[in-house]
Amino acid sequence: MSREVAGAGFLQAIVFSLAVGLSGCSSFGPRTVPTDKFDYNGAIAESQQQELLLNLVRLRYREPPVFLKVSSVISQYSLSAATTVGGGINTGLTGNDTANVGGRVGWSDRPVITYTPVSGQEFSRNLLTPLQLRAIFTLFRSGWSPELVFRTSTMSFNGLDNDRARLSSRQQGDPKLFELLAIWQQLRADEVMDVTWRDESGAEGEVVLFVNSDKAGAHAGELARFRELLGLSAEVEQYLIVSGFLPRSQDEIAITTGSLWDIMLNLAWQFEVPAEDVSSGKTGPTFRSEQFDGRPPIRILNSKEEPANAYASAFTAGRWFYIENTDMASKQAFSFLQLLLSLAETATQDRAPILTISNRSLSQSLQLFHHWF
């Protein structure tokens, strides 16, 4: 029996060594953090882009948007090792005694991902309520360009109307407004004008546009035209920005803002769709602005073939809709829209998960077995 016992002991030693080696390489849990964190981050970011793009397409085809957020990601890891030893003595007239030994070392990964619908009264109110001026100008101060911020999120400046693309209130914007935004962008880049808050204690506060007198002289022509377009007084250097269609005095700038619903609808009606979808009545005709060479803020293309190098893509109704990865203007506007939507989500209270999905156990194992006769 010495050979069998020695063999069994040798195999047990192998299984034990493998178990110790796999479990004792300092705990493998911390080693998964860098890979898992960035992999999940990338997957969630990509899914959010696809979801927003798909919802813009749904709005274009008169379908309701649906938003889901990943409320939790739990990754469970386990490591197991086992050995078995057995033997028998043959009591018959013929035959040999037997001995066998086996072993198993395995690990498994069981991620659990929880999805929660973004809905409810508070989210709906945030989606349908016009954006607050302070929120818009906070984004403006953070570095977003005036043309992008105001072309996307506002309806009018001192009675100068913006483009309106949705079918229910379609109209071309006033060319003076786009001239104003171009001048504003240049004056801001040259640090001639900026905005500040007059009352820091208020939740909304008062937004004030002020002129930098030290640099105004070098840009007198552009500054005069800016004031002329808005009907502002040249005698003051600070202008109160208020919500409304028309100002009450020459030292006010009245701005009407759109809701997130207005903004998304406006963007949805400006990208191209297949001509047969328009002729068949699935959707209406595309709005083409007379400004910016007719280019929409977000240029969404469509194809029957999956795009090879898309920034974001979504498949629906047998067709791919996508944003090109090289289209920097569309990518910037799309990112700005994502930021606006995140502002609407932050105030929504978390609810119990509606749907929880867990994948099958992913396992790898090493099986060892030996049988002596």
Side-chain angles (χ1 to χ4, degrees):
M1 295 290 294
S2 60
R3 179 170 62 88
E4 289 81 354
V5 172
F10 175 71
L11 195 52
Q12 280 184 291
I14 293 176
V15 174
F16 179 77
S17 299
L18 287 170
V20 171
L22 289 176
S23 62
C25 296
S26 71
S27 174
F28 69 82
R31 296 191 175 195
T32 66
V33 172
T35 302
D36 283 0
K37 182 177 181 180
F38 290 110
D39 286 350
Y40 280 120
N41 183 287
I44 292 172
E46 183 178 356
S47 69
Q48 289 176 338
Q49 291 175 343
Q50 291 175 343
E51 179 183 71
L52 178 54
L53 180 59
L54 180 59
N55 281 327
L56 287 175
V57 176
R58 283 173 173 162
L59 284 172
R60 178 59 186 271
Y61 283 82
R62 299 177 180 272
E63 299 174 5
V66 178
F67 294 94
L68 284 175
K69 72 175 179 179
V70 178
S71 56
S72 69
V73 178
I74 302 173
S75 227
Q76 298 176 334
Y77 299 93
S78 63
L79 179 66
S80 62
T83 60
T84 58
V85 180
I89 299 176
N90 193 318
T91 59
L93 297 176
T94 60
N96 298 317
D97 296 339
T98 62
N100 62 75
V101 62
R104 178 182 181 277
V105 178
W107 65 269
S108 63
D109 176 15
R110 298 181 178 88
V112 177
I113 303 173
T114 303
Y115 302 92
T116 304
V118 181
S119 58
Q121 182 177 358
E122 189 169 1
F123 176 71
S124 298
R125 183 171 60 248
N126 291 340
L127 197 65
L128 298 174
T129 302
L131 298 175
Q132 293 184 348
L133 287 174
R134 181 152 182 163
I136 291 177
F137 279 93
T138 297
L139 295 173
F140 170 76
R141 291 193 69 185
S142 68
W144 296 93
S145 71
E147 282 189 349
L148 173 60
V149 173
F150 301 130
R151 182 191 178 192
T152 304
S153 60
T154 62
M155 309 296 286
S156 69
F157 274 74
N158 278 15
L160 302 178
D161 290 325
N162 198 351
D163 283 335
R164 297 185 185 181
R166 57 190 300 181
L167 287 178
S168 60
S169 57
R170 180 167 289 187
Q171 68 175 33
Q172 292 290 335
D174 193 322
K176 292 181 180 179
L177 175 61
F178 302 105
E179 180 187 358
L180 173 77
L181 297 181
I183 294 174
W184 196 341
Q185 184 150 309
Q186 185 60 51
L187 291 175
R188 184 199 183 192
D190 294 333
E191 300 179 345
V192 179
M193 291 193 309
D194 204 351
V195 294
T196 188
W197 323 127
R198 180 173 290 176
D199 181 13
E200 291 288 353
S201 62
E204 170 71 10
E206 292 183 342
V207 185
V208 176
L209 175 70
F210 67 90
V211 177
N212 184 350
S213 57
D214 293 335
K215 297 188 176 183
H219 301 272
E222 297 98 318
L223 188 56
R225 181 57 177 166
F226 180 88
R227 286 168 166 153
E228 179 185 358
L229 289 169
L230 289 175
L232 299 175
S233 170
E235 305 300 323
V236 297
E237 294 183 343
Q238 292 190 4
Y239 304 95
L240 181 63
I241 298 177
V242 299
S243 295
F245 185 71
L246 293 174
R248 294 166 296 184
S249 64
Q250 288 187 312
D251 59 355
E252 280 189 354
I253 301 174
I255 299 176
T256 57
T257 62
S259 66
L260 285 170
W261 184 259
D262 292 326
I263 292 169
M264 291 183 66
L265 278 173
N266 216 40
L267 293 170
W269 284 101
Q270 294 189 62
F271 63 82
E272 295 292 340
V273 295
E276 58 267 27
D277 289 353
V278 177
S279 60
S280 65
K282 290 181 180 179
T283 184
T286 301
F287 174 86
R288 295 177 179 83
S289 176
E290 295 176 353
Q291 309 298 322
F292 306 100
D293 297 324
R295 179 188 173 89
I298 301 178
R299 186 167 174 258
I300 300 175
L301 306 178
N302 64 85
S303 171
K304 291 186 177 180
E305 303 295 330
E306 183 176 2
N309 187 28
Y311 167 70
S313 61
F315 184 78
T316 181
R319 186 173 293 271
W320 287 92
F321 292 85
Y322 63 97
I323 299 173
E324 290 182 315
N325 201 25
T326 55
D327 188 348
M328 298 300 295
S330 294
K331 289 166 64 175
Q332 186 182 36
F334 192 78
S335 298
F336 181 71
L337 179 59
Q338 283 185 291
L339 182 57
L340 291 179
L341 280 171
S342 68
L343 293 178
E345 290 183 26
T346 52
T348 303
Q349 294 181 350
D350 290 333
R351 293 166 298 279
I354 302 301
L355 177 64
T356 299
I357 299 175
S358 175
N359 76 333
R360 293 182 178 179
S361 172
L362 303 176
S363 62
Q364 293 183 355
S365 61
L366 173 64
Q367 298 284 353
L368 300 174
F369 182 79
H370 194 74
H371 190 178
W372 284 277
F373 294 94

